[in-house]
Amino acid sequence: MRQAGRSLPEYRKIREGIGMLESCRRPDLVTEITLQPVRRHDVDAAILFSDIVVPIAAAGVDLDIVAGTGPVVAEPIRSAADLERLRPITADDVDFVAEAVRLLVAELGATPLIGFAGAPFTLASYLIEGGPSRTYLKTKAMMYGAPDLWEALLGRLAEITLTFLRTQVAAGVSAVQLFDSWAGALSEADYRRYVMPHSATVLRGLAEAGVPRIHFGVGTAVLLEAMGEAGADVVGVDWRTPLDVATKRIGPERAVQGNLDPAILFAGWDVVEREARRVLEQGRSAPGHVFNLGHGVMPETDPEILTRLVALVHEVSAR
């Protein structure tokens, strides 16, 4: 997952005194941080170091990524007038990301680079709530009570996200991942009505880009089929749903990504090995399986466990 580097001491050292948004805007830092897990763990692909709010900051939203909290928006979007502050973006607005991708592609050689962006619903939840939320009350109030404003907001976010991902593809990423981290707060019916069309705008807008499209969310067991239908080639599955069960819901035409519980990495190597082998076995039911965690790496994770895990997956997969 995209936070793979944050458990590394070399990551913490290079980020000392530098805010998250500033780190994401410096191609030299993005390049080094992205490469750290590849060097340390010998993973099969690099994941672009960035944050889902980078493109909406580029679109003119006054926000900060507060340590220990997450994105905090100075003036939340609650009205049509507020929406006017969220302008469309061009590739020039995120040229620092394109430069980082070009630097990374040159460094990585044959190792693929995965780009990513936040999905419209998850971005909207931050913009409406003003920061992280457990209930999404203001978000759902707009979704249900002000559908015209909701559609306008998510339509604008879909445009911004698509531009952000197309910029990464043009610069050389080998695949893209769309994170709808908080879509699990929705029922399937609401997801299909209010959210899926906008995610589809992003994913299907990349259909001719020639790169695989991964779609991931947390707590999305009831949404897996719909998330695949939105235009994904690969559906990411969190740790709550076994991959063989997920594959039945997603269908036989899409690969899966996942889904070891990040907490298992703290349980000792015997448990890690047992559970990793289970995930690999269940993944065989899908037409393709990208082994991964079921969400981000915890900062307290022992890097040596991650290195051993990658080696184990390589060993078992080679058979």
Side-chain angles (χ1 to χ4, degrees):
M1 300 300 291
R2 64 188 176 89
Q3 300 97 330
R6 66 179 184 172
S7 64
L8 300 181
E10 55 265 40
Y11 168 79
R12 289 190 287 271
K13 182 177 180 180
I14 200 171
R15 280 280 322 277
E16 280 180 2
I18 304 174
M20 182 65 178
L21 268 179
E22 183 185 349
S23 299
C24 294
R25 290 168 174 155
R26 287 179 48 179
D28 59 331
L29 268 182
V30 171
T31 301
E32 173 58 24
I33 292 170
T34 302
L35 291 172
Q36 286 175 348
V38 181
R39 295 193 201 108
R40 171 78 82 126
H41 304 308
D42 191 30
V43 288
D44 297 317
I47 302 172
L48 181 68
F49 175 76
S50 188
D51 192 273
I52 63 170
V53 299
V54 165
I56 56 176
V61 174
D62 182 6
L63 59 83
D64 191 18
I65 303 173
V66 179
T69 300
V72 175
V73 178
E75 297 179 78
I77 292 178
R78 308 272 170 79
S79 68
D82 294 334
L83 180 56
E84 293 306 309
R85 300 197 308 269
L86 183 70
R87 61 176 177 79
I89 66 170
T90 68
D92 289 342
D93 292 314
V94 287
D95 58 350
F96 51 90
V97 174
E99 176 61 19
V101 170
R102 287 189 288 268
L103 291 170
L104 280 161
V105 170
E107 288 278 347
L108 287 163
T111 301
L113 174 64
I114 302 173
F116 85 94
F121 173 79
T122 293
L123 295 176
S125 73
Y126 283 115
L127 288 173
I128 298 166
E129 302 288 342
S133 173
R134 293 182 182 274
T135 60
Y136 307 99
L137 291 179
K138 294 181 178 67
T139 303
K140 290 185 176 183
M142 182 187 293
M143 186 176 76
Y144 296 128
D148 291 344
L149 177 57
W150 176 261
E151 291 297 314
L153 173 57
L154 266 73
R156 178 70 53 82
L157 289 169
E159 292 174 14
I160 290 168
T161 301
L162 184 54
T163 298
F164 189 52
L165 288 174
R166 281 176 170 163
T167 300
Q168 295 176 41
V169 171
V173 298
S174 301
V176 294
Q177 181 158 224
L178 187 68
F179 278 85
D180 212 352
S181 305
W182 311 134
L186 301 170
S187 68
E188 181 182 5
D190 285 345
Y191 176 82
R192 287 183 177 276
R193 178 177 177 181
Y194 296 108
V195 175
M196 182 176 164
H198 302 286
S199 293
T201 294
V202 179
L203 291 165
R204 292 176 182 165
L206 296 165
E208 305 302 319
V211 300
R213 298 156 296 171
I214 309 164
H215 199 187
F216 173 78
V218 183
T220 53
V222 300
L223 307 181
L224 291 173
E225 182 180 1
M227 290 179 75
E229 290 174 11
D233 302 297
V234 183
V235 177
V237 183
D238 76 7
W239 70 91
R240 297 169 178 86
T241 308
L243 290 181
D244 50 354
V245 174
T247 297
K248 291 177 183 177
R249 296 176 186 172
I250 295 164
E253 68 277 9
R254 294 181 180 88
V256 294
Q257 174 181 272
N259 68 341
L260 188 72
D261 186 341
I264 285 172
L265 298 173
F266 296 84
W269 176 250
D270 289 349
V271 177
V272 173
E273 180 175 4
R274 181 190 74 214
E275 293 302 303
R277 289 180 183 274
R278 175 186 59 80
V279 169
L280 287 165
E281 183 59 34
Q282 291 171 344
R284 295 181 191 277
S285 62
H289 175 209
V290 181
F291 183 93
N292 212 322
L293 300 184
H295 199 205
V297 176
M298 304 291 186
E300 304 87 356
T301 305
D302 179 358
E304 293 303 316
I305 290 291
L306 288 171
T307 302
R308 290 183 71 182
L309 175 60
V310 173
L312 173 69
V313 173
H314 286 161
E315 177 191 339
V316 175
S317 301
R319 297 177 189 158

